[in-house]
Amino acid sequence: MKLLHTSDWHVGKTLKGRSRLDEQRAVLAEIVALAIDHEVDAVLIAGDVYENVAPTAETQQLVVRTLLQLARAGIDVVAIAGNHDHGPTFEAYRPLMGQVGIQLIGNVRPADKGGVCRLTARSTGEQAVVATLPFLSQRYAVRAAQVLTNTPAENVGAYDQHVRDVLANLTAPFGNQSVNLVMAHLTCIGGTMGGGEREAQSIMEYSVPAGIFPLDAHYVALGHLHRRQRLPAAAPVHYSGAPLAIDFGEQDNTNVVCLVEVAPDRPARVTDLPVSSGRRLRTITGTVDQLLADPDSYGDDFLRLRVTQPAYAGLREQVLEQLPNALEIRIDPQFSVNPHRPPRHDRLVRTPAQLFSDYCADAGVEDPRLNRLFDELADELAVSGRG
C-alpha cells in the first residue's frame, strides 16, 4: 500500500505580523495534488495541523476543505492532534468526519476505544493497523505529586514509562498479516529540531528514545520536529518535517512529504517528495548600499536583514521603500554597542547635547542631522523659557 506522511502544517501561523494563509493554501493544495498523483491509499497527518488551539474560521475552513478534497479522491485520512492543536475539538469533529473517511484523534485513547485506526488499501486490499498517539502532556503523563516531588531525571523516566505503556496497549493489535503503523506527535532523543518548535514542549521531560517503538512496526510516522529526518532505531522512525518553513530559524530546512510504500512482508520504502509552494525565507547581511544594490534579486522572498553599519535616521524607511518584504531589520551588534561610553560619574556633568550624542552612540546611531535637530530644539526651548 501507498501512504503519504506529513505533519506540522501550522495553518494560521503568521510571520512578524504578516499573514501566510495564501502560502498555506498553496502548500496544502500541493500536498493534495501529490497524494492524488501518486495514488496513495491514505494520508497520515502527525499533528500540529493548526498553529494554535483557537484557529480562525477561515483557517478551519482551509483545513476542512483540504481533508474533504482528499476524502473525495477516495483517500483515507488519519490525523492526530499536536501540542499546538486543541485535542477536544478534534474529538468533537470526530463522529462527523468519520462519516466521510477522515479519522481525527484528539486525545490519547486505548486501542479498543478508538486509539487504533484500521484501513483497507483501495489499491491492494491490504489491511493496515494504525496506532495513534496524539501529543501527550508531561503533566498528564506524570501525576502532579510526582512533578512536585521527583527530580527532573525521575520525571523524564516517568514520562518515558507512561509513553511505553500507552504504546504497548496501542500496538497490541499488530499482526503478521497487516501493515503495522505508528503515528505519534512527540520528541525522540537524538532528533534535530527544525528551528520553530516550542522548546518547552520538545526537550527534557518530553523526550523519549527512538527505540521505544516496537520492532514489528513497519513504519513510524512522527510529527513535532520540523526538520525532515530518520532516526536510528530497529523500526523505521521518520519525521516528515514541516512542509513550509514557519520562521527564519527554518529557512535552510528541506520541505517535503514522505511517500511510504509498505507491505506486510517487506520493509517500508520511503521517498521524499519536495513541496515547493510558499515563499522562501532568507537572512541577508550587509550595509544598506549592499542590501539595496539589487532589490529584484530577492523576488517574493521574505527577508531578515542584518545591517553592518551604524543606524541613522530614516534607515528603516529607506530599506522598506525598496524591500517591502523585509520583515525584520536589525543592526549587527558590533555596530550597535559603544565601547567608548564614558563612566556614569562623567556623564553627570555633561551637557544635554553631549548626553544626547552619547545616547545616539549607545544606540549605534551615527547621523549628524539628529544632533543638529536636537541643538535646534534645545535652543527653541531655551528661548521660550521652557528649557
Side-chain angles (χ1 to χ4, degrees):
M1 63 170 26
K2 289 184 180 180
L3 310 167
L4 200 69
H5 167 206
T6 180
S7 70
D8 297 280
W9 292 356
H10 289 274
V11 180
K13 171 73 174 178
T14 61
L15 182 60
K16 307 296 182 181
R18 189 77 64 96
S19 172
R20 304 187 72 191
L21 201 60
D22 286 343
E23 291 178 84
Q24 292 156 358
R25 185 175 290 109
V27 166
L28 297 192
E30 186 175 356
I31 291 174
V32 171
L34 288 170
I36 294 173
D37 290 346
H38 288 273
E39 300 180 331
V40 304
D41 299 296
V43 172
L44 307 180
I45 309 170
D48 280 355
V49 176
Y50 296 105
E51 167 59 17
N52 56 61
V53 298
T56 65
E58 188 177 15
T59 297
Q60 293 183 69
Q61 185 181 63
L62 171 55
V63 169
V64 170
R65 285 182 172 176
T66 299
L67 300 183
L68 289 175
Q69 282 180 313
L70 292 168
R72 281 195 292 267
I75 299 171
D76 288 319
V77 178
V78 183
I80 61 175
N83 57 302
H84 283 252
D85 299 313
H86 189 239
T89 299
F90 274 45
E91 293 293 327
Y93 279 107
R94 181 184 175 105
L96 180 63
M97 295 297 240
Q99 295 296 313
V100 292
I102 300 169
Q103 302 188 63
L104 300 182
I105 301 90
N107 298 329
V108 177
R109 291 166 165 264
D112 60 352
K113 295 186 183 301
V116 168
C117 300
R118 297 182 182 274
L119 307 173
T120 300
R122 59 176 179 167
S123 60
T124 64
E126 292 169 322
Q127 303 295 308
V129 178
V130 188
T132 62
L133 181 59
F135 180 73
L136 183 59
S137 166
Q138 195 264 353
R139 288 191 175 275
Y140 176 83
V142 184
R143 292 182 179 180
Q146 291 176 300
V147 172
L148 294 174
T149 60
N150 285 358
T151 65
E154 288 171 332
N155 286 336
V156 171
Y159 183 80
D160 178 302
Q161 187 58 53
H162 193 88
V163 173
R164 289 177 187 270
D165 293 342
V166 172
L167 282 173
N169 174 272
L170 292 173
T171 58
F174 283 0
N176 295 329
Q177 302 304 313
S178 60
V179 173
N180 303 320
L181 307 170
V182 178
M183 182 163 60
H185 192 89
L186 46 69
T187 302
C188 280
I189 296 170
T192 303
M193 296 182 69
E197 302 88 346
R198 289 177 180 169
E199 290 195 20
Q201 294 175 331
S202 305
I203 57 176
M204 296 301 291
E205 290 92 341
Y206 286 96
S207 299
V208 296
I212 201 171
F213 301 105
L215 181 61
D216 56 351
H218 291 95
Y219 184 79
V220 179
L222 297 183
H224 193 39
L225 300 187
H226 295 179
R227 187 184 299 272
R228 170 70 181 106
Q229 57 197 295
R230 177 177 182 174
L231 299 182
V237 179
H238 290 260
Y239 283 99
S240 66
L244 175 69
I246 68 169
D247 64 25
F248 288 101
E250 300 182 6
Q251 65 180 23
D252 296 324
N253 290 356
T254 301
N255 304 122
V256 304
V257 293
C258 298
L259 177 65
V260 183
E261 298 174 84
V262 60
D265 59 349
R266 60 177 180 268
R269 183 174 68 181
V270 183
T271 305
D272 290 352
L273 304 179
V275 177
S276 58
S277 299
R279 295 188 181 188
R280 182 182 175 191
L281 307 185
R282 298 172 64 184
T283 299
I284 311 295
T285 301
T287 64
V288 172
D289 287 343
Q290 291 170 336
L291 296 172
L292 302 182
D294 188 9
D296 293 339
S297 67
Y298 302 126
D300 289 332
D301 299 348
F302 283 134
L303 306 176
R304 177 172 63 176
L305 304 181
R306 294 289 180 263
V307 183
T308 56
Q309 68 180 74
Y312 56 82
L315 182 153
R316 181 178 179 82
E317 290 73 15
Q318 179 186 355
V319 171
L320 288 176
E321 183 177 358
Q322 296 192 56
L323 302 177
N325 289 330
L327 304 188
E328 182 179 306
I329 304 172
R330 291 190 180 181
I331 304 298
D332 188 280
Q334 65 176 316
F335 295 96
S336 62
V337 177
N338 178 18
H340 305 297
R341 183 176 184 176
R344 173 176 286 274
H345 66 272
D346 287 349
R347 286 185 278 136
L348 293 177
V349 297
R350 296 170 74 82
T351 67
Q354 291 171 325
L355 290 172
F356 180 72
S357 180
D358 289 346
Y359 168 78
C360 290
D362 288 344
V365 176
E366 189 175 286
D367 189 346
R369 296 174 299 168
L370 283 179
N371 298 87
R372 290 196 296 269
L373 180 59
F374 181 89
D375 291 340
E376 292 174 9
L377 291 174
D379 289 344
E380 288 181 13
L381 289 173
V383 170
S384 66
R386 290 179 290 176

